[in-house]
Amino acid sequence: MAKKIIELKNITKSFDGQVVLDNISLDIYDNEFLTLLGPSGCGKTTLLRLIGGFETPDAGDILFTGERINDLPPHKRNVNTVFQRYALFPHLNVFENVAFPLRERKVPRDEIEARVTEMLSMVALTGFERRAVTSLSGGQQQRVAIARSLVGRPQVLLLDEPLAALDLKLRKDMQQELKKIQKATGVTFVFVTHDQEEALSMSDTIVVISEGRIQQIGTSLDVYNEPKNAFVADFIGESNIVDGVMLADRSVSFSGHTFDCVDGGFGKNEAVDVVVRPEDVDIVPEEKGHLTGVVTSVTFMGVHYEVIVDIGGFKWMIQTTDFVDVDEHIGLFIEPDAIHIMKKSKYSGLYGDYASFSNEFDELSDAESEADE
């Protein structure tokens, strides 16, 4: 069993009377890649800053390998932080940027040489030692920042949206790199992002946060396939979320039809939220469908089409490789294991209808949230 390295116990934090973290408890384990995921303003960066020592909690305790560290300054914690803006020294070359923390600690010269060389090799920057950091690309500067933060061998590395400034292809490459570096060093990574794909592709554990509270903790597969509530289902990937009623174990009624499902343990006739992922719906001829609807829009996404279908006034999204046309009447076939049942929550009714959906709207809100961070 992996050992706990950080324990957050009942942490509360407010700024100007506004509660940013509301009684949060979380265990972080040795050699874990843990991601704090949530929208702008949910409290994830504040949580990271508390672990780093840049903020102190109003209530609750932070334990590091069993010791309370609430009042320990950042430089005395065995924790390092990589910020969004890299914070490199422009007047020092690549080698000296990475060597800086070791020189501060008066580490012997030959050991500095060996450790910096090893770190630069790990982040694929061998041969860049004498380059000016200002001459490097964003991705290369990012790797210098990571090498510098790891050269002192911290037990925990905190990463605050470190890939946000990179273009899409570079981000994808760096996600793979970071995962490799984390495995190679065995350092615990605590990573903050509002990008769901980034979280799903990199993390051992995802902590989904909304409005200062933890909504769910689990592996990528857990939070994607078994979301705890409508917020998590909507935030991690696309989801059709409809009102349903559990008639009995493994039988649910929604959208005017009774379906077999695989969930149980709900009350008889309990009102529930039903999640069906867009990729889990099959388009069939009308007469073969559990549900029928009219196609209102079709967008080609490269590998698949994103189809919006009006079913009794509720807009569903379906992802399919089969082409259908706008105004076509289609049937939808949904297998029992494609249906996921969730208890009603304060987020019920807020998500999962694609009536106002457009990719542009999504991109706009992404751009705004990046500006807010």
Side-chain angles (χ1 to χ4, degrees):
M1 180 67 192
K3 70 175 200 287
K4 283 182 203 175
I5 195 158
I6 293 171
E7 295 166 78
L8 302 171
K9 297 192 169 191
N10 310 108
I11 296 290
T12 298
K13 180 72 180 172
S14 301
F15 293 108
D16 304 324
Q18 184 84 30
V19 177
V20 180
L21 293 174
D22 187 1
N23 196 25
I24 280 196
S25 294
L26 175 65
D27 293 337
I28 302 172
Y29 291 87
D30 197 24
N31 196 9
E32 179 174 44
F33 196 124
L34 178 131
T35 298
L36 304 173
L37 174 68
S40 291
C42 72
K44 57 191 186 295
T45 293
T46 302
L47 199 54
L48 201 75
R49 290 176 63 79
L50 285 166
I51 296 169
F54 303 104
E55 304 283 355
T56 49
D58 299 339
D61 286 320
I62 303 170
L63 305 182
F64 192 96
T65 59
E67 304 274 321
R68 183 177 181 276
I69 58 164
N70 287 30
D71 308 311
L72 205 61
H75 66 275
K76 295 220 168 127
R77 301 185 182 200
N78 198 1
V79 173
N80 240 328
T81 308
V82 177
F83 297 102
Q84 211 169 353
R85 303 273 180 267
Y86 316 149
L88 298 172
F89 300 113
H91 61 290
L92 298 179
N93 65 22
V94 169
F95 185 94
E96 288 304 329
N97 260 282
V98 178
F100 185 80
L102 301 180
R103 294 212 192 284
E104 287 283 284
R105 281 197 225 158
K106 310 278 193 287
V107 171
R109 180 171 299 181
D110 51 350
E111 191 185 331
I112 290 177
E113 187 78 35
R115 278 166 68 174
V116 172
T117 302
E118 178 197 11
M119 278 324 306
L120 288 176
S121 153
M122 185 173 285
V123 297
L125 286 175
T126 302
F128 283 77
E129 290 81 356
R130 304 290 161 230
R131 293 268 190 101
V133 287
T134 47
S135 73
L136 302 181
S137 69
Q140 289 165 337
Q141 289 187 12
Q142 179 60 275
R143 298 214 288 269
V144 174
I146 289 162
R148 184 182 64 188
S149 59
L150 287 171
V151 77
R153 298 177 181 154
Q155 279 178 282
V156 178
L157 185 64
L158 309 176
L159 301 110
D160 188 7
E161 302 242 12
L163 310 182
L166 305 180
D167 67 53
L168 187 65
K169 183 167 181 340
L170 200 50
R171 277 180 90 144
K172 294 260 185 278
D173 293 347
M174 278 304 296
Q175 287 167 15
Q176 299 309 314
E177 284 297 308
L178 276 177
K179 187 82 191 131
K180 278 205 302 236
I181 290 165
Q182 191 271 328
K183 286 282 165 266
T185 57
V187 173
T188 298
F189 277 26
V190 182
F191 187 92
V192 160
T193 185
H194 64 269
D195 183 316
Q196 306 82 339
E197 278 179 39
E198 200 160 87
L200 289 169
S201 66
M202 298 167 75
S203 321
D204 298 321
T205 305
I206 296 177
V207 181
V208 185
I209 302 176
S210 168
E211 301 175 57
R213 289 180 164 228
I214 292 175
Q215 303 296 323
Q216 186 165 357
I217 301 174
T219 64
S220 299
L221 282 172
D222 288 340
V223 293
Y224 189 82
N225 291 329
E226 302 287 332
K228 282 275 195 303
N229 60 35
F231 176 83
V232 178
D234 177 75
F235 198 75
I236 310 260
E238 305 292 352
S239 297
N240 301 295
I241 307 173
V242 295
D243 292 326
V245 174
M246 275 314 265
L247 303 174
D249 280 355
R250 290 175 287 290
S251 177
V252 63
S253 163
F254 61 90
S255 305
H257 185 89
T258 298
F259 292 84
D260 294 331
C261 64
V262 295
D263 291 316
F266 292 85
K268 191 170 166 50
N269 296 327
E270 181 177 340
V272 290
D273 286 339
V274 180
V275 179
V276 181
R277 294 288 187 187
E279 68 272 21
D280 292 339
V281 181
D282 293 322
I283 294 178
V284 294
E286 262 192 300
E287 63 279 5
K288 294 197 175 152
H290 294 127
L291 305 175
T292 58
V294 182
V295 176
T296 61
S297 88
V298 179
T299 310
F300 180 56
M301 303 299 288
V303 177
H304 63 270
Y305 297 98
E306 228 159 50
V307 179
I308 306 295
V309 184
D310 188 320
I311 300 174
F314 193 94
K315 299 281 204 309
W316 284 58
M317 177 192 281
I318 295 154
Q319 292 169 346
T320 176
T321 51
D322 304 326
F323 179 73
V324 289
D325 222 336
V326 172
D327 295 332
E328 206 173 310
H329 287 252
I330 60 172
L332 306 188
F333 188 86
I334 306 170
E335 299 274 0
D337 62 0
I339 297 168
H340 174 64
I341 311 295
M342 305 181 303
K343 285 203 167 291
K344 287 280 182 193
S345 71
K346 68 184 259 191
Y347 298 105
S348 298
L350 299 179
Y351 303 103
D353 179 357
Y354 286 89
S356 62
F357 179 72
S358 83
N359 280 325
E360 283 157 33
F361 184 74
D362 250 20
E363 279 157 24
L364 274 173
S365 62
D366 271 358
E368 279 167 16
S369 69
E370 274 166 28
D372 289 346
E373 284 294 335

